[in-house]
Amino acid sequence: MASAVGPYIATVMSYIATLFGSEELADCVVVFSLAQNDGTHAAAGASQASQSAPGNGQPDVPSSPLGDPLPAHRMALFAGSARLRAQAERWTPEQQQAGSKPELRVPLGRPEDLPHALSALRFMYTGKVDGSSAAQLLQVRRQAAYLLVEGCVEACDAALLAHVSAGVPQQPAEGVGGSSSSPLAPVAELFACRHLLPEPAELGGDALIPALLRACRQQLVLHGGGLAEVVGAAGQSASGGSGSQGELLAWAFRDAPSLLCDPDMRWQMVTLPAAAMEALLGSDSFATDDEATVLLVLAHWRRFNQAAFAPVCDKLCGVVRLSQLSGDYLLSTLPFIPWFPLSREEHAFLCQHVSAAGQPNKQARLEEAAAGRYDTTSPWYAAGARPCGRSDLHRPYGWHIKQEDLAEGAEQATLAVLCGSFDNGTAYLVSHGFEWRPFMCMRAEDEAAGVYLQCSTPAALCLPISDKPITLVSTSARLVVHRWAGEGGGGNRQEGFSKRYSHDNEDYVEVGAGWGEPSALPLAEAQAAGAQCGDGAADPLRRWGAYLHESKLTGSLEFS
């Protein structure tokens, strides 16, 4: 008996699919129109849907109709769209003329939205998404979010990911022309219609956008050597403009600091081909918090691709905007990088050239004197600042210290230093070209533990171990250590300690040192903690009880 259920359901679903747009059993009509108020229709995006959601007392105000009325079935609409169901439930007999069917109104922002709205409604009958291009899927997704079509947004998201990951579009993308056979064509296509992507705060946007970018980056890693051909076939510039290689790469990899803070994205970056790296680092769209972080991106790529780096060293290093480095980094870090092709003499000239900024006569005289020796028209000297920013601002990066490490540190007679490990698998975060991570200091007899933020020189720069110059840096960040209310680390999470660091206030720390509070975390007294070990000795972990949760001390670090 049970074996017949599957075929029966398939038969029912197949029949329901045939009812879309049919007068058979139709008991209502969907009427599309151009909305007078563009703040409440689907063209304004899914984020506007809540303004005209069912039950808010704001009826749609349509103007001219679009297309023919669509015969519909309340059975399908009730199950498939909360918005249309609410309209149908508000319909009263007084609104209905004799012999007519209830009208459900769908205001649209543009006539071009009509086929996409129809596709969203068809999904309620068929369970399948129409659309073979990224632009079509994103348009259907927008209408589905507006109409609150159950399951359609998720189906569009899955189709988008499959479309990009498959590598070859089902049909030529708009504007891509003959590049449709390239595995990178869907990436270029999605980039071209990126304005249709939902905002992170919109329905499902916070999950869709990172997943799509990850899939795009993976295709760029696998087929990045063919990027110029795809972009060129789209009739776009290969070296600049709104559709350049560099702009596409900068869109996929977001910005230099958040790239280096994400182990997965960092791995994808270091596996890019050299030509793609040159386009990325040379792009005016590649944002950063400091040009030093862009130099660090190159250092990581070089470290992973040392054999491939040698023949392209001058090209890749040549797109770093040295004149945009901070003065401290320019003086105390750049000249000590052994693999960067900058002579001592040119470094001295570069420093003079940078110091002459704002003095056009002096700078012009320096450039005249350098003629034939140094290319002052190159990005080292002439390129402007990149867009300033990082996409992970105010995102808390979780970190932890295992309780066994705390126990071992608490038993040491000398000072114990315990470094935090980030939950995303990276050993450090990056800001202003340096690496940052939290650590704690304590002695067995201390009444409190110190909490610090450490700044380190990145190993990827390969700076000499000896004779390191004194370097002071700063960042804007907030460091937190969690405390757990309740006995034994149970209950609600609270902030046991927090400290804000400000780049604007010039809170400087020496590279290689820590920056924090020596008595940040009060610990339970050893006697009050009680004897818990088998040999009668006090259990050192009892002193940490208020801070432990799931066998770890936890906290967060976020940049601001």
Side-chain angles (χ1 to χ4, degrees):
M1 194 70 174
S3 61
V5 173
Y8 170 75
I9 293 177
T11 300
V12 172
M13 295 301 296
S14 178
Y15 174 69
I16 292 175
T18 66
L19 295 179
F20 178 75
S22 170
E23 290 286 357
E24 183 180 353
L25 302 180
D27 54 6
C28 61
V29 175
V30 177
V31 177
F32 300 94
S33 60
L34 283 174
Q36 291 180 347
N37 183 355
D38 63 1
T40 59
H41 56 64
S47 63
Q48 301 291 345
S50 60
Q51 299 180 20
S52 55
N56 69 354
Q58 299 293 329
D60 298 317
V61 183
S63 55
S64 57
L66 290 175
D68 297 326
L70 178 73
H73 308 78
R74 278 181 282 185
M75 174 188 66
L77 301 186
F78 270 42
S81 169
R83 180 181 179 86
L84 295 178
R85 176 172 183 167
Q87 274 198 50
E89 289 175 339
R90 292 198 301 266
W91 190 270
T92 62
E94 291 76 16
Q95 296 173 289
Q96 187 172 347
Q97 298 179 357
S100 66
K101 298 173 183 175
E103 288 187 359
L104 306 180
R105 296 175 176 178
V106 176
L108 301 175
R110 308 171 305 159
E112 295 82 1
D113 292 332
L114 179 58
H116 308 302
L118 287 169
S119 293
L121 295 182
R122 185 181 292 110
F123 179 86
M124 291 188 282
Y125 288 79
T126 66
K128 297 179 181 179
V129 174
D130 293 337
S132 55
S133 72
Q136 292 170 348
L137 289 168
L138 286 169
Q139 292 280 23
V140 174
R141 185 192 196 281
R142 176 174 290 189
Q143 299 299 329
Y146 168 66
L147 293 169
L148 304 178
V149 178
E150 184 72 26
C152 190
V153 167
E154 293 79 3
C156 289
D157 291 353
L160 279 164
L161 282 169
H163 179 69
V164 172
S165 301
V168 180
Q170 299 175 26
Q171 66 181 37
E174 295 180 9
V176 176
S179 68
S180 62
S181 61
S182 168
L184 288 177
V187 177
E189 175 196 343
L190 181 63
F191 174 67
C193 64
R194 61 194 181 280
H195 60 284
L196 297 175
L197 286 167
E199 294 295 328
E202 294 178 23
L203 180 62
D206 57 339
L208 173 65
I209 295 173
L212 280 176
L213 290 175
R214 189 180 304 114
C216 288
R217 291 193 298 268
Q218 188 58 33
Q219 294 291 18
L220 289 166
V221 166
L222 295 173
H223 311 288
L227 182 59
E229 179 184 352
V230 172
V231 174
Q236 300 166 327
S237 167
S239 58
S242 62
S244 69
Q245 295 179 65
E247 189 172 354
L248 190 156
L249 286 157
W251 168 74
F253 283 91
R254 311 310 295 266
D255 58 84
S258 61
L259 184 165
L260 293 176
C261 291
D262 184 328
D264 179 61
M265 202 186 315
R266 189 168 68 232
W267 172 254
Q268 291 175 319
M269 178 273 295
V270 300
T271 49
L272 284 174
M277 277 302 295
E278 183 182 0
L280 174 64
L281 299 180
S283 172
D284 288 333
S285 300
F286 191 41
T288 188
D289 58 350
D290 191 295
E291 189 67 18
T293 309
V294 177
L295 178 54
L296 183 55
V297 169
L298 174 58
H300 277 275
W301 189 89
R302 172 201 167 272
R303 194 180 192 189
F304 185 79
N305 300 275
Q306 294 194 33
F309 177 76
V312 295
C313 172
D314 290 343
K315 280 188 175 182
L316 294 182
C317 292
V319 295
V320 179
R321 305 177 182 193
L322 299 184
S323 63
Q324 300 300 324
L325 292 170
S326 66
D328 292 339
Y329 202 96
L330 181 65
L331 293 170
S332 63
T333 303
L334 178 63
F336 298 94
I337 300 176
W339 49 266
F340 200 88
L342 179 67
S343 68
R344 180 181 301 178
E345 293 77 15
E346 186 165 7
H347 176 260
F349 174 79
L350 176 67
C351 291
Q352 289 187 71
H353 192 273
V354 171
S355 68
Q359 304 175 64
N361 291 338
K362 182 178 181 180
Q363 202 164 61
R365 184 68 185 90
L366 282 168
E367 292 173 2
E368 181 182 338
R373 296 179 62 187
Y374 308 129
D375 182 7
T376 57
T377 65
S378 72
W380 283 6
Y381 297 88
R386 301 174 191 271
C388 181
R390 53 185 305 158
S391 56
D392 61 350
L393 277 182
H394 306 297
R395 168 193 165 184
Y397 285 93
W399 60 272
H400 64 274
I401 298 175
K402 295 179 180 179
Q403 69 175 19
E404 51 264 37
D405 295 330
L406 290 172
E408 183 178 345
E411 293 175 342
Q412 295 183 21
T414 58
L415 183 68
V417 177
L418 308 171
C419 294
S421 298
F422 288 99
D423 298 344
N424 67 354
T426 190
Y428 51 80
L429 300 181
V430 171
S431 174
H432 295 278
F434 291 94
E435 296 173 354
W436 304 79
R437 66 175 176 176
F439 73 95
M440 302 178 61
C441 288
M442 64 166 295
R443 293 181 177 86
E445 69 276 10
D446 287 347
E447 296 180 354
V451 178
Y452 302 86
L453 184 60
Q454 181 188 45
C455 178
S456 303
T457 300
L461 294 176
C462 299
L463 296 185
I465 297 177
S466 59
D467 301 326
K468 286 186 178 179
I470 295 175
T471 304
L472 298 178
V473 296
S474 64
T475 189
S476 294
R478 185 168 182 264
L479 178 62
V480 172
V481 180
H482 298 145
R483 181 186 179 95
W484 299 85
E487 183 66 25
N492 298 324
R493 192 181 76 181
Q494 303 172 346
E495 289 189 2
F497 168 80
S498 68
K499 181 174 177 63
R500 190 175 295 279
Y501 303 86
S502 175
H503 184 71
D504 293 336
N505 292 341
E506 299 182 335
D507 294 334
Y508 289 108
V509 61
E510 182 181 350
V511 175
W515 185 13
E517 301 292 341
S519 300
L521 297 183
L523 303 177
E525 295 182 8
Q527 292 182 345
Q532 297 294 323
C533 297
D535 58 3
D539 181 358
L541 286 177
R542 295 285 293 178
R543 303 193 65 194
W544 294 92
Y547 307 104
L548 291 178
H549 182 70
E550 296 181 350
S551 303
K552 295 182 293 186
L553 180 145
T554 63
S556 65
L557 177 63
E558 66 180 77
F559 294 105
S560 58

